[in-house]
Amino acid sequence: MIYVVLFFLAFSLVLYVLLAGADFGAGIIELFSSKKNQAITKKTVYRVMGPVWEANHIWIIIMIVILWVAFPVYYNIIVIYLHIPLTLMLLGITLRGVAFVFRHYDAYKDKSQILYDWMFKISSLVTPIFLGITFGAMISGKIIHTTTPIDYSFKILYIDSWLHIFSILTGFFFAALCAFLSAVLLIGEASYGDKKIYVKKATIATIVVVLFGFITILYGYISEIQFVIDFVSNLYAMTIILISAILLIPLWSSIRKGRRVLSRLFAGSQVLLILIAALIPHYPMILFTTDGGISILENIAPDSVIKVLGISLLIGGCVILPGLFHLLKSFKMIKILERH
């Protein structure tokens, strides 16, 4: 049953990166657009995201619950030593949601709409950066996991663990990845005349993702971060990255031609390959402290708890996944009817 729980943890991670990543990226695309294109993107984003944007956060909630119930050691380390970036991330999610609602549904239109627009755009950029920073801190090996925190200062324990160049680079890499996912998604949702805007954005975002990915790995390798060294020296990980690089050719081709399905398929494949390549050399060690890697299979919850959790996830999956598919399909049909 433990592998059922691990499957849902990985499955939730992939879906959150893909769906919420594209969600965050919409605000980033809007932020780095001209005034004319911002208006177009704002209208398109509202039409695409409006009905389903809250559903994307289901997956991070599932991840948190799984960690809390099944893997308490991992959960405790993350929420204690990385509580600052996590708090800022949650604040960004909250402000972004508030801004998204009020800039569309506020009954009184005045200059406050400008504030809501900027709040949405800035929080859309900041939130994925702190998400990436949190992951960068988890794999950097700079978290001091100790039973006697009184021996260390607050700065060493709760700031230096995440506020460093490697985690910041990881944060910007994830933000670029979100912009890339959103641009590819919007190619298929934009009107015919607006497609070229997102084709250009997707091309630029792809280049930025590749550059940030290369810089992050290079810096991690030079800084002797064990996670990166293991990643670079692992044959399977490098093979997957090579496949990912080769797939950039058909990806760019489908983006330039505005192929809705193919571009999304290749974009999703890129994200999935990146996650697999990052995790495969280290599993089951996904969190690194100053004492080395910590296995996610160590100090897990009792078998009785894992069994109940696994059954609950299977039942929940049978309810949530069809419901989510129906939600997306229903609103897609509504948008098609509105166009006609």
Side-chain angles (χ1 to χ4, degrees), residues 119-267:
M119 188 186 299
F120 175 76
K121 291 182 287 189
I122 297 299
S123 57
S124 294
L125 175 63
V126 171
T127 304
I129 287 177
F130 278 109
L131 267 167
I133 284 175
T134 301
F135 180 73
M138 287 174 58
I139 63 176
S140 67
K142 296 187 181 297
I143 296 175
I144 300 177
H145 183 214
T146 176
T147 56
T148 55
I150 196 171
D151 295 337
Y152 300 90
S153 67
F154 179 89
K155 179 178 179 294
I156 292 175
L157 284 176
Y158 305 117
I159 296 181
D160 292 348
S161 58
W162 61 271
L163 191 56
H164 47 80
I165 295 176
F166 178 75
S167 64
I168 292 172
L169 286 173
T170 307
F172 278 100
F173 169 76
F174 183 62
L177 191 65
C178 291
F180 159 74
L181 288 170
S182 184
V184 173
L185 172 69
L186 292 173
I187 289 173
E189 300 294 339
S191 61
Y192 180 79
D194 297 332
K195 283 184 183 292
K196 60 182 181 180
I197 297 173
Y198 303 112
V199 168
K200 182 179 179 181
K201 296 289 185 184
T203 304
I204 295 172
T206 305
I207 296 171
V208 174
V209 168
V210 172
L211 286 175
F212 267 114
F214 176 76
I215 292 171
T216 303
I217 292 173
L218 180 62
Y219 180 83
Y221 188 80
I222 293 173
S223 302
E224 298 183 344
I225 292 176
Q226 192 60 45
F227 184 94
V228 177
I229 293 173
D230 293 342
F231 170 77
V232 173
S233 60
N234 186 276
L235 178 61
Y236 296 108
M238 288 298 97
T239 301
I240 293 172
I241 291 299
L242 178 61
I243 295 172
S244 177
I246 294 172
L247 288 178
L248 285 174
I249 298 172
L251 171 63
W252 278 341
S253 176
S254 62
I255 287 174
R256 287 197 302 271
K257 295 176 181 178
R259 299 278 180 84
R260 176 174 174 268
V261 177
L262 275 179
S263 59
R264 292 180 181 183
L265 179 62
F266 284 123

Side-chain angles (χ1 to χ4, degrees), residues 15-92:
L15 285 185
Y16 189 71
V17 171
L18 288 174
L19 299 178
D23 205 344
F24 292 131
I28 300 174
I29 294 291
E30 188 177 331
L31 178 62
F32 292 100
S33 297
S34 64
K35 190 172 183 179
K36 177 184 176 181
N37 290 344
Q38 279 186 2
I40 295 171
T41 300
K42 182 178 179 180
K43 182 179 178 181
T44 306
V45 166
Y46 171 66
R47 177 169 51 80
V48 176
M49 287 172 46
V52 297
W53 69 277
E54 288 181 307
N56 294 330
H57 294 298
I58 288 174
W59 308 112
I60 195 170
I61 294 171
I62 293 174
M63 288 172 57
I64 292 171
V65 171
I66 291 174
L67 287 172
W68 177 42
V69 175
F71 311 106
V73 172
Y74 261 54
Y75 178 83
N76 287 338
I77 293 175
I78 293 170
V79 299
I80 291 174
Y81 294 99
L82 302 177
H83 70 277
I84 294 178
L86 285 174
T87 301
L88 294 173
M89 179 199 76
L90 292 173
L91 180 62

